[in-house]
Amino acid sequence: LGYWEWDLDSGAVVWSEETYRLLGYEPGAVQPEGARFFDAVHPEDRPHVDGAFGLAVATDAPYEFDCRMTRADGAVRHVHIEGQVTRPADGRAGRLSGVLRDVTTQTEAAEALRRGEERYRLLFDANPHPMWVFDDETLQFLAVNDAAVRKYGYSRGEFLGMTINELRPVG
C-alpha cells in the first residue's frame, strides 16, 4: 500500500517507499512531483482521474477509483486510489493525500474469469447438442441452449418454468 501527499499551496509532494516502487522507481531516486504522478496515469484513464481529483478539490469530497498507471519501465499496473482533500480553516488550497494499492493481479484474474465465462457461454449456446443447466436441489432449469429448444419444442421461457423431471421429448 503506497501513500502520497501533495501540499496544494506549496506544491511539495511526498511519496512513501511503496509509491516509489509502484511507479517503478527506487525510493528517493527521483523527486516526487504531482506532475510525475499524474503523467504515470494511463492516457486513456486521464480524463477520469483528472475529473475525480478535480471534483475532490472543488468539493472537499473523498475520492476513490481504479485506473491504470504506467511505471518508469513501461509496465502498466492497475491501481486502486483513494483519499481526501484536507483544507485549513483559512480556506487555502490545503492538502491532497491518498493511498494507492496495486490491484493488477486481481484485475487480471477477474478479466481471465470473464473471458473464460464468455468462452463457456459461447460453447454452451452454440453447441449443436441439447444442453441445460439445472439446480441440483430443486431440479429447476436455470439455462438451456438453442439446440434444446429446437429438440424438445419448448420455448426458453417454458423450459425455465420446468424441472428436469418434466422433460419429455417431442414426437
Side-chain angles (χ1 to χ4, degrees):
L1 189 67
Y3 173 81
W4 58 275
E5 192 172 280
W6 185 3
D7 184 309
L8 298 172
D9 286 322
S10 70
V13 176
V14 175
W15 292 345
S16 70
E17 288 186 9
E18 185 56 30
T19 299
Y20 273 100
R21 282 192 275 282
L22 197 138
L23 295 174
Y25 300 106
E26 285 297 316
V30 297
Q31 178 67 33
E33 299 172 350
R36 189 183 310 274
F37 185 87
F38 285 104
D39 285 348
V41 173
H42 191 280
E44 292 174 11
D45 295 344
R46 282 188 188 141
H48 169 68
V49 171
D50 289 346
F53 281 119
L55 182 64
V57 170
T59 65
D60 294 342
Y63 55 87
E64 182 174 356
F65 56 87
D66 291 334
C67 68
R68 294 166 291 174
M69 296 190 87
T70 305
R71 292 171 36 99
D73 63 6
V76 175
R77 305 302 292 175
H78 294 265
V79 297
H80 178 79
I81 298 176
E82 56 187 277
Q84 64 185 24
V85 174
T86 52
R87 208 174 292 278
D90 65 9
R92 286 179 293 131
R95 186 174 303 273
L96 189 60
S97 60
V99 294
L100 63 158
R101 182 172 21 119
D102 188 334
V103 294
T104 303
T105 301
Q106 299 92 318
T107 302
E108 289 174 349
E111 179 60 21
L113 178 61
R114 187 198 63 75
R115 284 192 312 269
E117 288 173 347
E118 186 177 300
R119 280 192 304 272
Y120 169 77
R121 173 62 57 193
L122 287 172
L123 288 171
F124 178 83
D125 288 341
N127 198 304
H129 301 286
M131 295 179 74
W132 48 78
V133 177
F134 64 91
D135 184 289
D136 62 352
E137 289 182 16
T138 66
L139 304 181
Q140 184 84 31
F141 284 106
L142 302 174
V144 296
N145 69 356
D146 290 339
V149 169
R150 284 190 304 275
K151 169 126 176 113
Y152 291 92
Y154 298 108
S155 70
R156 193 172 311 279
E158 289 171 323
F159 255 116
L160 298 179
M162 298 169 49
T163 68
I164 194 156
N165 290 336
E166 299 173 89
L167 186 63
R168 302 282 184 263
V170 173

